């Protein structure tokens, strides 16, 4: 295997970015706004505001980052936030991701690149046509409950009917797999686990249960009381629906997948706290204010903004990616601490 000169160990001859611990970095998460119209307690949302906060990157700047990252071998791009649908130019961002893949990955069949969003789906119905036209390939929807009242409580006022409309629109558009993500909090929505799992009985959804991570400050001090381990969530699913069967899973993906025999969909468990998957982590994140964050759980960030002003910004941004990959920690897991930046401003 050959290496790019000057960055031995970090970029292979087939342009794959490898971190200091030998992990290939291939999945990019771009947080495009810290604003959100929901108030999920575990995420520490700031509010909606009338404008993006000062310092939020423009679409062209995200375009540079996308070209840099795809040039370094990234295979998937997921737009997140905050709520990415609050960003009016989200279709432009999706189109920029496709342009980057089209220009830099001629080996991929046109339009086949994994370009996705993670959304609360409350405004998805009206935004989806433009996103599809821009080339959106897949959607992850956060759905913490099936009961409308529990949903409203968990999301600080979210209207589940609008989320179901968004989910239906994604199904009609044929974007698969449709992943529905639920963060489980004791005393908030843990009673919803069996009903959420049952959504996979007739539909080919991937319902994924996510362990609550201490990435909020609002609930600081109540974390341990709210945390529900994945083993307990799985036990609740099996108590209601019978034993789960294992489904083969991409080892670098955070979810371990299962299904109830004969059911249409999959049930996944993302257990970053009780079963950390840091050794197979393939992700890096960029925040909406232009900070490159090699690890979700570690607060170290690398500023991309000076590189975005360089004469050759794509090459300069790639240099920051290389430095950040070299500094990506083996594991970011720590005891609960107060966070300089909470989940809503990082992008899950
Ligand atoms: N607003 C969009 C949404 O809710 O899907 C995208 C942003 S949200 C930060 C991305 C994901 O992070 C969601 O699935 C959310 O449930 C998850 N999340 C937020 N805070 C979390 C926490 N403290 N622990 C685990 N997951 C969290
Ligand atoms: Fe908003 Fe998503 Fe955070 Fe909920 S999880 S507050 S929808 S950003």
């Amino acid at each position: 295997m050959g290496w790019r000169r000057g960055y031995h160990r970090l970029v292979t001859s087939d342009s794959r970015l490898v971190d200091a611990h030998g992990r290939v970095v291939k999945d990019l998460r771009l947080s495009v706004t810290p604003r959100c119209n929901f108030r999920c307690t575990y995420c520490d949302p700031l509010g909606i505001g009338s404008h993006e906060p000062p310092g939020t990157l423009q679409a062209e700047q995200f375009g540079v980052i996308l070209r840099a990252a795809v040039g370094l071998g990234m295979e998937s791009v997921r737009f997140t936030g905050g709520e990415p649908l609050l960003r009016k130019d989200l279709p432009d961002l999706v189109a920029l991701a496709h342009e980057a893949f089209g220009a830099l990955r001629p080996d991929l069949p046109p339009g086949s690149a994994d370009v996705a969003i993670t959304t609360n789906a409350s405004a998805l119905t009206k935004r989806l046509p433009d996103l599809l036209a821009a080339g959106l390939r897949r959607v992850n929807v956060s759905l913490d409950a099936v009961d409308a009242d529990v949903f409203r409580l968990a999301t600080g006022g979210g209207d589940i009917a609008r989320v179901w409309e968004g989910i239906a629109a994604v199904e009609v558009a044929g974007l698969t797999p449709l992943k529905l993500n639920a963060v489980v909090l004791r005393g908030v929505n843990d009673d919803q686990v069996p009903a959420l799992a049952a959504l996979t009985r007739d539909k080919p959804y991937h319902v994924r249960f996510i362990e609550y991570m201490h990435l909020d400050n609002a609930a600081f001090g109540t974390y341990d009381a709210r945390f529900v381990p994945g083993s307990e969530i799985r036990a609740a699913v099996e108590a209601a629906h019978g034993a789960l069967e294992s489904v083969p899973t991409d080892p670098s993906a955070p979810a371990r997948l299962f299904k109830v025999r004969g059911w249409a969909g999959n049930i996944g468990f993302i257990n970053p706290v009780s079963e950390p998957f840091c050794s197979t982590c393939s992700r890096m994140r960029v925040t909406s204010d232009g900070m490159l964050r090699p690890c979700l759980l570690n607060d170290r960030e690398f500023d991309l903004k000076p590189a975005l002003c360089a004469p050759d910004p794509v090459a300069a941004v790639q240099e920051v990616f290389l430095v950040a990959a070299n500094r990506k920690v083996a594991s970011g897991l720590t005891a609960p601490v107060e966070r300089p930046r909470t989940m809503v401003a990082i992008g899950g």
Side-chain angles (χ1 to χ4, degrees), residues 133-341:
L136 187 71
R137 297 273 303 155
R138 220 168 41 69
V139 177
N140 295 351
V141 175
S142 295
L143 185 72
D144 290 339
V146 293
D147 179 275
D149 293 328
V150 178
F151 186 81
R152 197 174 304 113
L153 176 73
T155 58
D159 177 0
I160 200 169
R162 292 182 60 187
V163 177
W164 281 121
E165 283 168 22
I167 289 171
V170 176
E171 287 184 70
V172 169
L175 302 187
T176 57
L178 173 47
K179 297 179 185 175
L180 305 179
N181 297 324
V183 179
V184 181
L185 267 68
R186 196 180 306 284
V188 177
N189 66 337
D190 51 337
D191 65 336
Q192 297 292 296
V193 167
L196 284 163
L199 296 174
T200 66
R201 192 192 310 263
D202 302 320
K203 300 271 194 174
Y205 302 143
H206 289 200
V207 169
R208 309 188 308 168
F209 296 103
I210 305 174
E211 280 181 348
Y212 172 33
M213 291 175 275
H214 50 82
L215 284 167
D216 54 344
N217 290 332
F220 195 71
T222 61
Y223 176 78
D224 289 344
R226 293 279 189 228
F227 175 76
V228 185
S231 56
E232 189 179 325
I233 302 170
R234 178 174 173 172
V237 173
E238 294 195 311
H241 304 303
L244 293 174
E245 295 181 350
S246 182
V247 172
T249 318
D250 169 2
S252 73
R256 299 276 71 85
L257 293 181
F258 299 85
K259 70 187 295 139
V260 177
R261 181 177 295 186
W263 286 18
N266 290 338
I267 298 169
F269 299 93
I270 301 180
N271 299 340
V273 182
S274 68
E275 295 177 74
F277 36 79
C278 307
S279 64
T280 55
C281 180
S282 57
R283 290 164 289 283
M284 291 227 273
R285 292 175 163 77
V286 175
T287 64
S288 57
D289 55 351
M291 302 300 285
L292 178 59
R293 192 172 169 110
C295 171
L296 173 65
L297 293 167
N298 183 281
D299 296 319
R300 182 150 202 195
E301 297 178 343
F302 297 80
D303 196 350
L304 291 170
K305 290 184 288 297
L308 288 166
C309 300
D312 182 350
V314 171
V317 166
Q318 286 184 330
E319 298 228 4
V320 182
F321 268 78
L322 293 167
V323 171
N326 204 23
R327 305 277 175 79
K328 188 167 155 69
V329 291
S331 168
L333 220 57
T334 59
V337 285
E338 190 119 13
R339 296 285 177 180
R341 193 193 282 275

Side-chain angles (χ1 to χ4, degrees), residues 35-40 42-45 81-83 120 142 155 344:
R35 300 158 68 223
C36 189
N37 56 328
F38 278 14
R39 300 280 178 279
C40 309
Y42 49 72
C43 183
D44 233 359
E83 176 45 47
N120 65 33
S142 295
T155 58
V344 74

Side-chain angles (χ1 to χ4, degrees), residues 65-82:
I65 294 167
L66 284 160
R67 285 200 295 284
V70 173
L72 284 173
M74 298 290 164
E75 294 172 5
S76 79
V77 172
R78 183 149 59 68
F79 295 100
T80 177

